[in-house]
Amino acid sequence: MKKDFYEILGISKNASADEIKKAYRKKAIEFHPDKNPGNKEAEEKFKEAAEAYEVLSDANKKAKYDQYGHQAFDGGGFGGGQHMNMDDIFSQFGDIFGGAFGGGGFSGFGGGGGQRRVKGSNLRIKVKLTLEEIANGVEKKVKVKRKIQAKGVTYRTCPTCNGSGQIMKIANTILGRMQTATTCHICSGSGQILDQKPAGADAQGMLLEDDTVAIKIPAGVVDGMQLKVANKGNEAPGSNSIPGDLIVAIEEIEHEFLKREGENLHYDLYISVAEAALGVSKEIDTVSGKVRIKLEDGIQSGKILRLKGKGIPSLNSYGNGDLLVHVNVWTPKKLNTEQKQFFEKMLTDENFIPKPEKSDKSFFEKVKDMFS
């Protein structure tokens, strides 16, 4: 079972962005590979801290984590840094360390002297899901156009920065001679430039190609949720670059009969006056197929029947919501002569005079029960 992100960084859920950053820097320096060479346990703790920081430092990811926990990012290659390696960490969060490890360089990861691994840009797509797919989870195969490095492309050390990714400048100030480092404008900090490219590749040695990506979507996702497929975005130029990510936005297709409210579903069932008086068996739609329910004779309009576990699964694996069946007695708008005569006789009939019992709840009581 994965550890709580707040526990990993040693902070409370109310920690500010600055406190989260400070807590991560403290943990990252404590378990940094340069301080713990060959220590696998320290390396895992270093990765755990980076994963926690990736989520908690992003307002949107933090909100989803607070609501759904690890399940918001787990399931089929999504989220929260679970695929990050050391290079990913240093490329994304290297600035956190400042000068704690030799001016920004990291021995063994991405080269020294400030060289960084260039990460490709993220791609974003929208995936439409039916309520049944959301309830049961689904694997979708989608086609995306991705930039990839052309076969046969080669890169060489940038002559401007000599592969360091940075250009050092010395300036005379009133405080004396000051040395500053800026990202190399020729190689954008990667330390490499294009050497040879095959025909058809662009100026950076890249090609735009169609790719089919399999996306495993866990049950219980909600409309507007964004999931991440790691390393399925655009590639970047350079032999030491890493691909971006594929961001998947979920769009829920409205169901013809079922209405979603969180993990619960609502279904409006219309029956005739005769069916309400005599009782009837009805077949209704659920996300797992059709089910048959029995309505007792004399059922009242507004009655709510709760079908346990027939709703949407919780992302946190806390079980399923319920299906609430709202019974509506349909009153005919047009009657023939015989029907009118029948109901006219019933106007004064004892059985047709409304006599609500104490057990018959009001509309507001039913609404209260529905949300409890």
Side-chain angles (χ1 to χ4, degrees):
M1 186 175 179
K2 295 184 72 171
K3 293 181 183 178
D4 180 78
F5 285 156
Y6 292 100
E7 184 181 334
I8 289 172
L9 296 183
I11 55 177
S12 70
K13 285 191 174 183
N14 298 321
S16 66
D18 189 51
E19 289 171 333
I20 293 171
K21 186 174 183 178
K22 286 180 179 178
Y24 169 59
R25 187 177 191 275
K26 181 180 177 182
K27 292 288 183 183
I29 290 175
E30 179 182 354
F31 298 113
H32 194 283
D34 284 358
K35 288 187 66 176
N36 304 273
N39 189 330
K40 289 294 183 183
E41 184 179 353
E43 182 178 320
E44 287 305 312
K45 289 184 180 293
F46 184 77
K47 290 178 180 178
E48 282 182 354
E51 180 181 1
Y53 180 69
E54 186 204 13
V55 172
L56 300 183
S57 63
D58 185 299
N60 290 329
K61 290 181 182 178
K62 183 177 183 296
K64 289 171 185 173
Y65 177 74
D66 289 344
Q67 185 174 4
Y68 299 110
H70 291 298
Q71 199 69 30
F73 306 102
D74 290 344
F78 297 118
Q82 60 185 352
H83 296 284
M84 295 173 72
N85 56 34
M86 288 297 192
D87 290 320
D88 294 329
I89 295 169
F90 291 134
S91 68
Q92 292 186 45
F93 309 131
D95 62 317
I96 292 290
F97 303 101
F101 295 92
F106 306 99
S107 62
F109 300 102
Q115 180 186 18
R116 65 184 179 86
R117 297 190 73 186
V118 176
K119 183 173 182 177
S121 59
N122 292 340
L123 292 174
R124 296 180 182 273
I125 62 169
K126 186 178 290 185
V127 172
K128 295 184 178 182
L129 301 177
T130 65
L131 206 51
E132 288 81 3
E133 290 173 329
I134 289 174
N136 299 300
V138 66
E139 178 174 301
K140 290 280 189 179
K141 290 185 177 179
V142 297
K143 280 190 175 182
V144 294
K145 284 189 177 294
R146 300 176 58 212
K147 280 187 176 182
I148 64 169
Q149 287 189 16
K151 288 183 179 180
V153 66
T154 59
Y155 300 91
R156 59 188 173 88
T157 301
C158 175
T160 304
C161 65
N162 293 319
S164 69
Q166 292 187 341
I167 297 175
M168 307 303 293
K169 293 182 179 180
I170 298 176
N172 294 316
T173 71
I174 58 174
L175 300 176
R177 290 166 64 84
M178 301 289 289
Q179 179 176 284
T180 59
T182 59
T183 300
C184 177
H185 63 283
I186 300 297
C187 65
S188 300
S190 69
Q192 296 180 328
I193 60 172
L194 186 67
D195 182 25
Q196 293 181 342
K197 70 181 183 74
D202 65 15
Q204 294 181 311
M206 309 297 290
L207 291 174
L208 189 63
E209 288 193 354
D210 290 328
D211 190 12
T212 300
V213 181
I215 306 170
K216 289 184 178 179
I217 300 174
V221 294
V222 298
D223 186 77
M225 178 178 283
Q226 292 188 348
L227 309 175
K228 182 179 79 174
V229 186
N231 302 324
K232 287 298 182 179
N234 288 322
E235 294 183 2
S239 59
N240 64 345
S241 63
I242 54 177
D245 303 318
L246 177 64
I247 308 301
V248 183
I250 300 299
E251 182 177 333
E252 183 179 311
I253 300 172
E254 187 175 348
H255 195 278
E256 185 178 2
F257 304 111
L258 299 170
K259 300 297 180 185
R260 183 179 181 180
E261 182 186 47
E263 291 159 7
N264 291 332
L265 296 173
H266 297 268
Y267 182 94
D268 276 315
L269 176 62
Y270 289 89
I271 61 175
S272 68
V273 175
E275 288 173 325
L278 299 174
V280 69
S281 177
K282 285 285 187 179
E283 190 175 71
I284 65 171
D285 290 285
T286 75
V287 287
S288 56
K290 292 184 180 294
V291 298
R292 185 166 288 278
I293 60 173
K294 186 170 179 60
L295 308 180
E296 73 274 14
D297 56 324
I299 194 168
Q300 300 298 310
S301 187
K303 178 82 172 180
I304 300 174
L305 305 176
R306 185 184 292 267
L307 304 186
K308 282 283 188 181
K310 291 295 184 180
I312 301 294
S314 166
L315 261 178
N316 284 325
S317 301
Y318 295 145
N320 286 31
D322 302 327
L323 173 58
L324 303 171
V325 181
H326 302 260
V327 178
N328 301 282
V329 178
W330 182 264
T331 305
K333 296 180 180 180
K334 292 182 180 181
L335 300 173
N336 59 33
T337 302
E338 184 180 351
Q339 291 167 339
K340 282 185 178 180
Q341 289 174 351
F342 169 78
F343 282 107
E344 284 170 355
K345 288 179 182 179
M346 296 303 108
L347 285 174
T348 56
D349 188 281
E350 187 74 15
N351 282 334
F352 279 76
I353 297 175
K355 294 177 183 177
E357 299 177 356
K358 288 186 178 180
S359 60
D360 293 332
K361 296 181 178 180
S362 69
F363 169 79
F364 295 104
E365 288 174 321
K366 290 174 183 175
V367 171
K368 183 179 178 182
D369 287 348
M370 187 173 64
F371 288 99
S372 64

